Amino acid sequence: MTTPQTGGTEYDARIRRAGRLSAQHAFAAEFLDFYKHIAAFQKTLRAKIAESSGAKSRVAPAELRSPLDLTVLLPPFRGFLSTIERHAPPSLGKAAHQMSLLPSDSWIASLEAYWEHGGKYDQQVGAFAQFLARAILQPYAEYRAALTPQAPMVMTVRVCPVCGARPLLGVLRPEGDGGKRFLLCSFCSQEWEFRRILCPTCGQEAEGKLPVYVAEQLPHIRVEACDTCKFYLRTVDLTKDGHAVPLVDDLAAIPLSLWAHEHGYSRLQPNLLGT
Ligand SMILES: [Zn+2]
Ligand SMILES: [Zn+2]
């Protein structure tokens, strides 16, 4: 089994980064410490998914969102709920406890609903309501995406070319003297290239309408706002901090949520913890 399939090193990097950011930024420590438990669970689950799929067949399904293999997702579900119950902030822990009292039909319904719609219409659902399904299905979606043959890069599409979900983040990767922008998928964590001066929500491309804000505490994370649609994208700038792990650094960026909220900008897609 190759590393991209089990995803082990990727999860280790996320867990390490969460530990480091938590030590540096007290304001985000509670979230990041909780996230470490989620990521540790996801790491084990991802290895199980890879093992089980490897035993069945090595052929990837044609569509990323083709039906879930519940035989691999249901057995660990109760353990997942108790992990959340033990480590989550109280309201989320309570939601996990309530879910644990429901029959497995309800678990399946919740998983299948997120699998079908996740990343597409989340604003109506709310980050809190979808947290449980999103957290357990993230490694599953990442595993499927790692097996999916990548179509030729289509420039500047606003939704993920692999699964059709909206972007969670922008990522600036060093190239030449500057950075090239990619969008990171909110559902399957794949990246695709996207023009730098262009709003991924409404297509605005006038630089004067696209203000950028950076907070003192987190100089490598940009809020890329749009004055036309009033949405913003958070972009992790790897040219400023090459150790950043975008998915994790985003969870630490609480001051940016506050700033955006005060200035009337909304986030297109919330992160796993709903900020
Ligand atoms: Zn995707
Ligand atoms: Zn816009």
Side-chain angles (χ1 to χ4, degrees), residues 42-66:
Q42 289 177 328
K43 178 187 167 182
T44 310
L45 178 61
R46 169 83 178 256
K48 276 190 201 144
I49 293 165
E51 199 185 293
S52 136
S53 311
K56 282 175 196 151
S57 144
R58 294 197 165 272
V59 183
E63 293 277 327
L64 186 126
R65 297 199 198 224
S66 59

Side-chain angles (χ1 to χ4, degrees), residues 199 201-204 210 226 228-231:
C199 170
T201 310
C202 72
Q204 177 58 259
L210 301 168
C226 174
T228 302
C229 66
K230 289 289 180 182
F231 279 98

Side-chain angles (χ1 to χ4, degrees), residues 230-266:
K230 289 289 180 182
F231 279 98
Y232 76 97
L233 181 77
R234 253 182 229 173
T235 291
V236 178
D237 187 347
L238 297 175
T239 71
K240 294 228 168 89
D241 185 347
H243 297 295
V245 176
L247 213 57
V248 182
D249 287 56
D250 171 47
L251 298 174
I254 295 165
L256 301 180
S257 304
L258 301 177
W259 180 87
H261 184 74
E262 277 166 18
H263 289 77
Y265 299 113
S266 308

Side-chain angles (χ1 to χ4, degrees), residues 8 38 51 116 143 190:
I38 302 173
E51 199 185 293
E116 189 181 346
Y143 172 75
Q190 295 291 296

Side-chain angles (χ1 to χ4, degrees), residues 160 162-163 185 187-188:
C160 173
V162 181
C163 75
C185 176
F187 188 80
C188 75

